[in-house]
Amino acid sequence: WWVAEKGSAAPDEETLRTYCRSQLAGYKVPLHFRRVDALPRTPAGKLLRRRLPGARSATAARGPEP
């Protein structure tokens, strides 16, 4: 997920990917990019990951219990 600055043109996905490749290790470059208007936050300012569009719950991300 990424948030574009107000008043700026939104970069395309390839531009984002190129920038990430120049700054991050290959395995850390995101496979998908999603633009959001704002990141959901708690009153304390922490990121609410479960409220991000398309976010999976922690249980779904870990997989079924053995």
Side-chain angles (χ1 to χ4, degrees):
W1 298 274
W2 61 275
V3 179
E5 291 183 29
K6 292 183 180 183
S8 67
D12 60 45
E13 190 170 323
E14 192 54 38
T15 302
L16 288 171
R17 185 166 281 110
T18 301
Y19 176 77
C20 287
R21 283 184 184 141
S22 71
Q23 301 295 313
L24 302 170
Y27 68 93
K28 292 186 177 184
V29 175
L31 296 175
H32 307 283
F33 294 91
R34 284 198 180 177
R35 183 182 184 278
V36 294
D37 293 327
L39 295 174
R41 303 240 178 222
T42 67
K46 293 183 178 182
L47 180 64
L48 287 170
R49 289 184 181 101
R50 66 182 176 271
R51 294 179 104 191
L52 287 168
R56 298 184 309 175
S57 69
T59 305
R62 283 193 309 259
E65 294 293 323

